[in-house]
Amino acid sequence: MSPDARRLTINVNVLGVGQRPAAWRSPDIVPEAIVDLGHWQRVARLAERGLVDAIFLADRPAITDPRSRPVQYLDPLVLVPAMAAATERVGFVATASTTLNEPVELARRLFSLHVATGGRFAWNAVTTWDVEAMRNFGIEELPERAERYDRAEEFVQAVRALWDAAGTREEVRHRGARLSFDASLGIDPVVPGRPAVVQAGGSAAGERLAGRVADAVYSIAHDPAASAAHRRAVQAHAAAAGRGADEPRVYPGLALVIGSTEREAGERFEHWEHQAPPTYSLRELEKALGLDLSDVDLERPLPDELVREAEAGGGWSEGYRRVLLARIRDERPTVRALLRDFGGYGQRFLAGTPERIADAMQEWFDAGAADGFNVMIDLFPSGLEDLVDHVVPVLQRRGLFRRGYDDADLLGRFRRP
Ligand SMILES: Cc1cc2nc3c(=O)[nH]c(=O)nc-3n(C[C@H](O)[C@H](O)[C@H](O)COP(=O)(O)O)c2cc1C
């Protein structure tokens, strides 16, 4: 492999104790692990052993429904320092809202994490879509998508200006349509560079924001042609904004179940699929399609009138809705079949051997459909061990993945050719 060969990026999306709805019932873990810093540190060390680029931590600033399964609910900005202290090279991508924060205060916290982690930090800038989180901040109604994205762009640009001025001690004077401040961060940039910026919305407005400000994009796509089209759209926005077209890197989600044979992977999936009621995934599907599915027959395809209702609008993310509706129209799956994958929150789902998973990654990478992947692990720690010990070596043998970390900070790693 030539030293400048293109390599794919792997982020690990850590959803508490695992992505499958029954992950918390695994004998390898206790449900309370989600509030145990030791769990997060073990995950970080394991990811670092696999040389992955970064760990991704999602967030919604609202109390999780206690009747739901245990998922991560500690603030990611609290988890990152704990994980960073237990590791040296792996990066961290933490989510924080542009709708529910103030730019100066957040810019300071994010830049502090950049410095404290030695340049291993990235910010997933989200506009926040859920009403419960809004109400925690005294906002009764979800602002329109266009309004949220307009604020997001101004917010990210303002934060970037504050970071860029961090070493100069000059005050940033910002007077925009939505934000106004005179401020400086007062942090010496003893670590060069800045946090990388990640974006994850798949609507037209989300693609535009990604092209204009993001270093990386978490996307949702189930087929390589749709993913390549999304990547091209983001790149066109980047070029129009005067950036390099390939500056925003695109990492589609990929939910994995790994087995040493296809049969073993299938059995692992089936076993855990039957340990949880379908209602967990059904609630997520309701949110994604903007529908009430309480009376729906799981053994039949979604009725036409509900498909039409979903097509008319609603749901928390245009990106997710588009992908789900395409699948519903093309395959007419039973609701139960849809829910089986939907334990992956609608992300592309793949159960198979390490070779098969590497094939799938390579196919998308070679086709220009992905610069890397945001991988969801079915159960911790075993699923991550399998990724690290079995999938990563296959990718390395094919020259698609690094054999050691280099000196680049996380932004430099995302920007690698
Ligand atoms: C992989 C992925 C992770 C996301 N993580 C979060 C998150 O942690 N918090 C959040 O509020 N939104 C999250 N989102 C939602 C998006 O940021 C965005 O708000 C949502 O997709 C709606 O935007 P859209 O209509 O442009 O698709 C995520 C989306 C994707 C694809």
Side-chain angles (χ1 to χ4, degrees), residues 243-316:
R243 308 174 67 204
D246 71 343
E247 263 183 54
R249 300 297 161 96
V250 178
Y251 309 142
L254 184 57
L256 296 178
V257 175
I258 307 168
S260 59
T261 60
E262 295 294 325
R263 186 170 166 183
E264 194 185 298
E267 283 172 1
R268 177 173 165 112
F269 169 76
E270 291 297 340
H271 175 78
W272 291 106
E273 184 62 12
H274 289 107
Q275 303 297 317
T279 39
Y280 287 0
S281 309
L282 195 65
R283 285 206 192 100
E284 297 294 335
L285 187 66
E286 283 184 324
K287 282 192 265 172
L289 293 174
L291 297 174
D292 175 358
L293 299 177
S294 38
D295 293 330
V296 88
D297 182 348
L298 297 186
E299 311 313 330
R300 304 176 70 87
L302 203 62
D304 287 342
E305 64 271 19
L306 288 182
V307 177
R308 279 196 295 278
E309 193 183 328
E311 279 169 343
W316 63 274

Side-chain angles (χ1 to χ4, degrees), residues 8-14 43-56 89-92 120 361 373 375 377 384 387-389 392 395-396 401-402 404-405 410 413-414:
L8 56 80
T9 296
I10 296 181
N11 287 196
V12 175
N13 180 354
V14 183
V43 166
R45 279 195 216 99
L46 196 48
E48 185 165 80
R49 179 151 72 78
L51 306 172
V52 308
D53 292 83
I55 284 168
F56 165 52
R89 312 303 287 273
V90 69
F92 305 97
R120 292 191 278 152
M361 288 180 165
F373 296 92
V375 171
I377 302 294
L384 183 55
L387 179 82
V388 163
D389 294 331
V392 164
L395 295 171
Q396 286 172 325
F401 199 61
R402 66 173 62 82
Y405 285 115
L410 186 55
R413 230 180 261 165
F414 283 167

Side-chain angles (χ1 to χ4, degrees), residues 56 58-59 95 124 126-129 145 149 200-203 206 218 316-320 347 374:
F56 165 52
D59 189 46
T95 300
N124 178 34
V126 299
T127 62
T128 307
W129 47 270
R145 177 178 279 109
Y149 273 114
S203 60
Y218 290 147
W316 63 274
S317 156
E318 259 180 52
Y320 274 85
Q347 291 283 8
N374 189 23

